[in-house]
Amino acid sequence: IWWLVLQLIGVLALPVALKLLRFLPDRGFGFARPVGLLLTGYLFWLLATFGILQNTTPSIVLVLLLVGGLSAYLWKREGREMLAFLRGETRMIIATELVFLVALAGFSFFRAYNPEIAWTEKPMEFGFINAILRSRTFPPSDQWLSGYAISYYYFGYVIAAMLTRLSGLPSDITFNLTLVTLFALTASGAFSLIYNLVRAYLQRPGQSAEQGSWLGRWAAPWAGLVGAVLVALMGNLEGVFELMRARGLGSEALFRWLDVKNLQPLQTDALSATWYPTDTWWWWRASRVIHDRDVLGNSMEVIDEFPFFSFLLGDVHPHVLALPFVLLAVALALNVALSWRQRPPVQAAEDKDA
């Protein structure tokens, strides 16, 4: 059900994405879902904030129809060209959808083994989603202070609540599905961004390599897949040193040189009985590998979480909610940069001089 809702939003926003990101090699196909979520969520939030609509499922459906109407208008004007483009990009479409679906299904399977909404900031975030679901207008009611509005970044939770209403699923299920969706959108967004970068490089003016060659056909998809893994799955090497520490490997000088706070070699009588660390918060150190100090030499906390640390932790926090839209912003910047290729040389030079 959740996947179908996401597909519906992506399809309704596809012509908008193809028009908005038309200078990218994939014309923004890989960003149709983030574009749809952003357009629908922002328009819904705006209309509910001004009191034009109420926070109900019919209102969300109405906003979806408005976005669909804009897409229908664009399709009427340029649908033949868009359809011809999509028919010629079957390999790209299949690859993009497979990355999204595999990431969505795989991380759903992972979250099914630890779905509890407990510890860290998950109860607060769950409360925000429920507070928004119970509010008829925006700004939504604060979950702690009756009669007041939420005093926090809450737009991402509006999108989560919007998807909850559209799917008809309970919020304790959609809390985890929201995290799963953010992971899948981050993986597919990174794939599409790198795919477009590589294809744009191969198609640069003066490039003599044929696009029908093996390099032209497969370099971009494989590079995109590597990009998705590096952005969404990979972390830093702190975990390697945790494993070494648990087995008593590594000298005191090595750990002093690494200078990760609270990461010192264990005494022989305190080594882990397993191959992995067993002290409760050992994994937390991976998000604090930069050990900064003030002018007096006192330790200062520097948060350097990488995306998969946040996904593993399971907090639906604003910096996690923003990840797909950060990639969309980078794609928009790349789209502007590539738009210069489509300008006549004289006009491009005049614009650059201006």
Side-chain angles (χ1 to χ4, degrees):
I1 292 171
W2 189 264
W3 176 79
L4 287 173
V5 169
L6 293 171
Q7 291 299 96
L8 173 64
I9 292 174
V11 169
L12 286 176
L14 180 59
V16 178
L18 294 177
K19 179 67 174 179
L20 181 66
L21 296 160
R22 60 189 178 277
F23 299 113
L24 297 181
D26 77 343
R27 293 194 60 167
F29 178 87
F31 293 97
R33 275 175 288 256
V35 168
L37 288 171
L38 192 60
L39 277 179
T40 307
Y42 184 75
L43 185 57
F44 172 62
W45 170 81
L46 200 64
L47 294 174
T49 299
F50 284 120
I52 299 172
L53 293 178
Q54 288 199 324
N55 180 19
T56 61
T57 303
S59 295
I60 299 171
V61 172
L62 176 61
V63 173
L64 274 175
L65 291 175
L66 292 175
V67 174
L70 175 60
S71 286
Y73 170 74
L74 292 173
W75 189 263
K76 184 178 180 180
R77 289 184 54 191
E78 305 177 25
R80 184 173 298 179
E81 178 195 351
M82 291 179 178
L83 186 59
F85 168 79
L86 293 173
R87 283 176 173 170
E89 294 288 343
T90 306
R91 185 183 295 109
M92 177 272 294
I93 292 172
I94 293 175
T96 303
E97 289 302 301
L98 274 177
V99 169
F100 178 77
L101 183 59
V102 169
L104 191 78
F107 206 60
S108 295
F109 184 77
F110 175 82
R111 291 303 302 173
Y113 281 91
N114 58 337
E116 56 273 15
I117 306 173
W119 309 108
T120 59
E121 300 183 52
K122 288 187 278 290
M124 177 192 74
E125 297 148 1
F126 186 46
F128 282 143
I129 293 173
N130 286 317
I132 293 169
L133 288 170
R134 295 182 181 212
S135 302
R136 301 296 283 185
T137 58
F138 295 152
S141 301
D142 190 278
Q143 67 210 50
W144 291 297
L145 192 57
S146 180
Y148 288 82
I150 291 177
S151 180
Y152 195 66
Y153 326 96
Y154 69 85
F155 179 63
Y157 302 115
V158 169
I159 294 177
M162 181 182 74
L163 291 172
T164 299
R165 288 195 184 280
L166 286 173
S167 67
L169 299 170
S171 59
D172 58 334
I173 300 297
T174 63
F175 178 88
N176 281 293
L177 289 177
T178 297
L179 186 69
V180 167
T181 302
L182 294 170
F183 176 80
L185 289 176
T186 300
S188 62
F191 171 86
S192 296
L193 186 61
I194 302 302
Y195 176 91
N196 282 300
L197 279 166
V198 172
R199 272 194 65 177
Y201 177 77
L202 293 175
Q203 295 171 357
R204 68 194 185 279
Q207 174 66 11
S208 59
E210 295 184 3
Q211 294 303 310
S213 66
W214 183 92
L215 180 64
R217 289 196 306 269
W218 296 108
W222 280 110
L225 189 60
V226 171
V229 170
L230 289 175
V231 172
L233 281 175
M234 298 301 291
N236 55 40
L237 294 175
E238 199 276 339
V240 174
F241 296 107
E242 290 285 355
L243 294 176
M244 291 174 56
R245 175 176 178 267
R247 302 309 303 153
L249 303 175
S251 65
E252 184 175 345
L254 171 65
F255 288 100
R256 188 167 55 249
W257 174 74
L258 291 172
D259 195 26
V260 176
K261 189 176 180 181
N262 297 325
L263 182 65
Q264 293 92 24
L266 288 172
Q267 300 299 322
T268 306
D269 57 351
L271 294 179
S272 172
T274 64
W275 62 270
Y276 54 86
T278 52
D279 52 312
T280 308
W281 287 86
W282 66 269
W283 51 273
W284 186 260
R285 287 189 283 266
S287 70
R288 305 294 191 275
V289 295
I290 298 175
H291 191 181
D292 200 8
R293 293 173 175 82
D294 62 18
V295 293
L296 299 177
N298 300 314
S299 292
M300 298 177 63
E301 184 176 56
V302 178
I303 301 173
D304 48 82
E305 290 186 20
F306 45 90
F308 191 71
F309 178 90
S310 302
F311 292 129
L312 184 64
L313 183 62
D315 283 356
V316 184
H317 215 49
H319 72 274
V320 184
L321 287 158
L323 282 170
F325 305 107
V326 170
L327 293 169
L328 174 60
V330 177
L332 286 166
L334 178 62
N335 181 67
V336 172
L338 294 177
S339 68
W340 291 93
R341 291 185 179 180
Q342 307 299 322
R343 298 168 183 259
V346 175
Q347 180 186 349
E350 290 176 353
D351 291 346
K352 186 175 181 181
D353 291 339

